[in-house]
Amino acid sequence: MRLVQFENTQGQRQVGMVEGEQIHIVLDTTSTRELALAAIRNKHSLQEEVIARGTQPSDERYALALEQGRVLPPLDHQDPAHCLVTGTGLTHLGSASTRDKMHQQKAADPGTLTDSAQMFQWGIEGGKPQPGSPGAQPEWFYKGDGSCVVRPGAALQQPPFAEDGGEEPELTGLYVIGDDGRPYRVGFALGNEFSDHVLERRSYLYLAHSKLRNCSYGPELRVGALPSHLAGISRIRRGGEVIWEKEFLSGEDNMCHSLENLEYHHFKYQQFLRPGDVHVHFFGTATLSVADNIRTQAGDEFEISISEFGAPLRNTVQVSREVFRPGDVRSL
């Protein structure tokens, strides 16, 4: 089942099921979060809750809704402060090689591993423990709350102080916290974990800064189990022409951590178990255009696609205006 959140032509929020070229409306539903919380309370799966509510065909053409920018992120919160956006890195086979291209350190001993390579090795050795057991901790980072998310098709805002704005083609896990304080996975979506890789390249210690940027995910929510092997394409277009494209792999067959282990090391923290909250978690990638010396420009378009996830996720890049200057803090 593939679900979308969108605004109809009257500007009202609705949830729909993608059926071919059309969107079938989920009856009496204005948000995926509300649908998911109802499923938890009714002891239903998300699919069972959709069936219980019923759907009806509509005149909404999916491609047109995307073109008009009316498709929303597939899971959000009406209060952005209650949507936390986070991620894990060095999770995919090959990701350490990509990272080390950005973080080569000179060492007296040629055999000395960078911090990135060492953490990746911990994942290889202990990132897939037996079910029910904790494994090696992954790299973890915070991107922001729901205010950093832009809808599919919208422009990712590159701050004027940024040194770069690069794509990261990833899968995202989308979660709600039930009334019982437990996390429930609503489903998965494509994601673009937009970051400043030139800043990160200066020093690994700048990684936290480099992640405090916009991101996007969707347009569709894939409900159910994740295939163990997924192959997608990441592209950058400039002036309508493809200037870079590369295959990227995901799914547990291509990862050094299990999804269960990544989820455990996020939700083990009590502050992430507040009932009603939404969590968006990026699972990482091994494929970045910056590793091929691509520098993006304002107006470039990112396109991330995996056939199993339906329509591709597209976003452009735009340089935002300056909102804060040195000395703007005032004493009271």
Side-chain angles (χ1 to χ4, degrees), residues 234-254:
S234 181
R235 293 186 179 91
I236 300 176
R237 289 188 175 88
R238 180 173 298 162
E241 300 292 327
V242 175
I243 63 165
W244 178 87
E245 75 172 27
K246 185 170 279 189
E247 181 183 62
F248 69 98
L249 302 177
S250 196
E252 287 192 337
D253 286 355
N254 301 297

Side-chain angles (χ1 to χ4, degrees), residues 16 57 93 179 327:
L93 303 174
D179 300 332

Side-chain angles (χ1 to χ4, degrees), residues 76-125:
D76 58 5
H77 197 293
Q78 69 269 24
D79 180 355
H82 286 275
C83 174
L84 286 94
V85 186
T86 56
T88 38
L90 298 170
T91 54
H92 283 64
L93 303 174
S95 57
S97 173
T98 301
R99 179 74 65 84
D100 266 357
K101 288 182 181 178
M102 297 164 58
H103 298 292
Q104 291 293 345
Q105 70 180 36
K106 295 179 181 178
D109 178 6
T112 298
L113 294 175
T114 63
D115 288 343
S116 297
Q118 187 175 57
M119 181 165 280
F120 179 75
Q121 188 61 34
W122 292 337
I124 290 288
E125 294 170 356

Side-chain angles (χ1 to χ4, degrees), residues 17 261 332:
M17 185 169 60
N261 193 51
L332 293 179

Side-chain angles (χ1 to χ4, degrees), residues 230-295:
L230 291 162
I233 297 292
S234 181
R235 293 186 179 91
I236 300 176
R237 289 188 175 88
R238 180 173 298 162
E241 300 292 327
V242 175
I243 63 165
W244 178 87
E245 75 172 27
K246 185 170 279 189
E247 181 183 62
F248 69 98
L249 302 177
S250 196
E252 287 192 337
D253 286 355
N254 301 297
M255 299 171 69
C256 56
H257 286 267
S258 65
L259 293 177
E260 178 181 298
N261 193 51
L262 298 179
E263 290 171 337
Y264 166 72
H265 284 296
H266 177 70
F267 289 111
K268 68 184 181 184
Y269 296 105
Q270 188 173 353
Q271 63 262 43
F272 292 158
L273 300 176
R274 185 167 51 193
D277 278 7
V278 165
H279 288 252
V280 178
H281 193 77
F282 286 83
F283 287 125
T285 187
T287 305
L288 305 173
S289 65
V290 71
D292 294 332
N293 299 313
I294 298 295
R295 292 292 298 268

